[in-house]
Amino acid sequence: MEVTTAGRFRVYRSPRDGDELLLLELPDERVDWTDPAVETDADDAYSPTYVPRTGYDGDLAARVSALEPGNEIEATLRWDDGDPRFEELSVRDRTRFRFVGAATGLFEAARETWRATGDSEAIGSRVTYGTDGDPNAVLYVFAKQPGARDLFDEFGDGVVPVDPLLDRLDDETDAPDAPREVFVLRPLDEEFVLVAIALDREGLFARTMRDTYC
């Protein structure tokens, strides 16, 4: 039996197979897992689907091949005998995700953000500014979790969605539709995971992060 479903999705690399993509369906109403007052489980709100990258023809094949982790897309998926494939696809937002699992030499603003985070707080944040005085990024620091849980891997695998952090930024900026670049770093010599969101993926902050850590 063939079934189709349409929606908005955030693109991730699949943790299972390099020949497929992980799509997190974006909910109609925002879910902020960082807010203790929000009771909705992110696992229920951002449902995952694994879709192959290959086996398409023509223009659709080119669009699927060009997708990058972090892109927000509108897509129609065709489910044939339980296996989903792209039927239609358009990119809404070219935000890009980068994950660096062994970062060293972390920049001072990130360390200052962590030092300013209270002992009872698991999350700290700050806005950074360029030499012109305009904001260029938002930094979030998350305490590394005890035991077997690895927050960096959970960000990379979509278990912990990045979208609530992007939603916050959209609410506080005068350019909500600008494509961002999100850097998720696991510093080797720090007690936190860093999520740095560059307001402009082509701006100086994003270029400096790519040159330094990627």
Side-chain angles (χ1 to χ4, degrees), residues 49-79:
T49 303
Y50 295 90
V51 183
R53 298 181 63 112
T54 58
Y56 304 97
D57 297 319
D59 181 59
L60 181 58
R63 280 180 281 159
V64 173
S65 177
L67 289 176
E68 297 179 290
N71 289 174
E72 179 187 341
I73 63 173
E74 283 188 354
T76 298
L77 305 179
R78 185 183 73 252
W79 300 76

Side-chain angles (χ1 to χ4, degrees), residues 54-119:
T54 58
Y56 304 97
D57 297 319
D59 181 59
L60 181 58
R63 280 180 281 159
V64 173
S65 177
L67 289 176
E68 297 179 290
N71 289 174
E72 179 187 341
I73 63 173
E74 283 188 354
T76 298
L77 305 179
R78 185 183 73 252
W79 300 76
D80 189 2
D81 294 330
D83 296 322
R85 295 186 62 82
F86 286 110
E87 186 169 85
E88 296 180 5
L89 167 65
S90 63
V91 177
R92 289 172 49 99
D93 172 15
R94 294 197 177 277
T95 289
R96 179 168 52 202
F97 293 170
R98 293 184 184 271
F99 298 91
V100 182
T104 58
L106 205 62
F107 56 100
E108 184 60 23
R111 294 197 295 267
E112 289 177 355
T113 305
W114 175 248
R115 288 196 292 266
T117 303
D119 292 339

Side-chain angles (χ1 to χ4, degrees), residues 9-168:
F9 303 88
R10 186 72 66 182
V11 177
Y12 285 76
R13 285 193 177 91
S14 170
R16 308 186 316 182
D17 187 338
D19 289 331
E20 66 182 7
L21 296 169
L22 167 60
L23 306 183
L24 289 192
E25 186 169 12
L26 301 182
D28 293 331
E29 296 185 6
R30 293 178 176 179
V31 175
D32 188 352
W33 53 262
T34 68
D35 185 349
V38 176
E39 297 181 356
T40 304
D41 193 333
D43 291 343
D44 297 328
Y46 296 88
S47 58
T49 303
Y50 295 90
V51 183
R53 298 181 63 112
T54 58
Y56 304 97
D57 297 319
D59 181 59
L60 181 58
R63 280 180 281 159
V64 173
S65 177
L67 289 176
E68 297 179 290
N71 289 174
E72 179 187 341
I73 63 173
E74 283 188 354
T76 298
L77 305 179
R78 185 183 73 252
W79 300 76
D80 189 2
D81 294 330
D83 296 322
R85 295 186 62 82
F86 286 110
E87 186 169 85
E88 296 180 5
L89 167 65
S90 63
V91 177
R92 289 172 49 99
D93 172 15
R94 294 197 177 277
T95 289
R96 179 168 52 202
F97 293 170
R98 293 184 184 271
F99 298 91
V100 182
T104 58
L106 205 62
F107 56 100
E108 184 60 23
R111 294 197 295 267
E112 289 177 355
T113 305
W114 175 248
R115 288 196 292 266
T117 303
D119 292 339
S120 61
E121 299 175 354
I123 305 173
S125 66
R126 69 176 290 183
V127 178
T128 64
Y129 298 85
T131 55
D132 57 3
D134 291 334
N136 58 12
V138 178
L139 310 182
Y140 291 94
V141 291
F142 298 86
K144 289 182 178 178
Q145 303 300 304
R149 183 180 179 190
D150 190 322
L151 188 58
F152 174 84
D153 286 342
E154 291 182 3
F155 275 120
D157 295 347
V159 174
V160 176
V162 177
D163 270 273
L165 304 181
L166 294 171
D167 291 341
R168 283 187 180 188

